[in-house]
Amino acid sequence: MMSFKAGRWLALAACMATVSLSAMAAEETGEPTHAQPALPTAPLTITGANGVKHVFTVEKAMTPREQQVGEMFRPSIPDDGGMIFVWPFPRQSDMWMENTQVPLDIVFIGADNRISSIVENAVPLSLARISSHGPARATLELRGGITERLGISVGDRVDSVALSGVSSGK
């Protein structure tokens, strides 16, 4: 038989566990308040029409929460880094810069693994919608200004293991 004192402690422990689980659930579903930890990475190569290759190591934002938080609250993006958002099928991709502290080049990748559009130097902290203006199989965020500096342009080919296994829509 349990004593009254032990029963109170069990009730208190159950209540604390409920509060902790609620706080964890809010952290996973509420508005982001801090940068997410580094995500798993994959190599990514962009090959221009002239054959020049540019190699990056990009974080893969795969879950809805990872995609929601993205590059928010990060103070910098390395020249050879970035983040890729791979969609389950080609679709309209709309991004924004809420809580993103640094400018980004947002690169939309079509079903053919070629760059379909680029938005350069997206304004930090802006709530303006940044659109792919058509179906995108993935969206790539790079350091602001890097696409111009490297000569990356619409039509360049994107290759990465991060894109494997994703429907091309064909």
Side-chain angles (χ1 to χ4, degrees):
M1 180 172 213
M2 188 181 324
S3 72
F4 177 72
K5 190 174 184 180
R8 276 195 325 189
W9 279 109
L10 283 174
L12 178 60
C15 181
M16 289 175 64
T18 301
V19 169
S20 294
L21 287 174
S22 296
M24 286 173 50
E27 175 67 20
E28 287 299 311
T29 60
E31 287 300 314
T33 59
H34 57 277
Q36 63 187 330
L39 302 174
T41 61
L44 181 139
T45 302
I46 299 175
T47 305
N50 59 2
V52 174
K53 295 180 185 278
H54 305 286
V55 179
F56 299 88
T57 300
V58 297
E59 294 180 59
K60 300 181 297 181
M62 302 303 288
T63 69
R65 182 61 175 189
E66 291 168 351
Q67 293 168 353
Q68 178 191 16
V69 178
E71 302 275 14
M72 288 182 179
F73 303 105
R74 293 187 175 180
S76 64
I77 308 296
D79 281 352
D80 64 348
M83 187 174 288
I84 192 164
F85 303 75
V86 180
W87 312 124
F89 54 87
R91 65 171 198 178
Q92 175 71 28
S93 178
D94 294 313
M95 308 299 278
W96 63 91
M97 296 290 287
E98 181 179 18
N99 298 319
T100 305
Q101 300 174 354
V102 296
L104 297 174
D105 286 355
I106 301 179
V107 178
F108 297 102
I109 303 166
D112 60 357
N113 282 9
R114 295 198 177 274
I115 296 174
S116 57
S117 66
I118 301 173
V119 175
E120 295 179 334
N121 285 306
V123 177
L125 307 175
S126 172
L127 297 179
R129 187 178 81 177
I130 301 166
S131 176
S132 61
H133 299 289
R137 139 180 229 186
T139 303
L140 174 64
E141 294 179 341
L142 299 172
R143 181 184 185 120
I146 199 78
T147 56
E148 180 180 20
R149 189 171 60 120
L150 297 178
I152 294 170
S153 61
V154 169
D156 288 356
R157 181 159 182 79
V158 180
D159 293 296
S160 176
V161 295
L163 294 170
S164 64
V166 178
S167 169
S168 67
K170 292 181 181 177

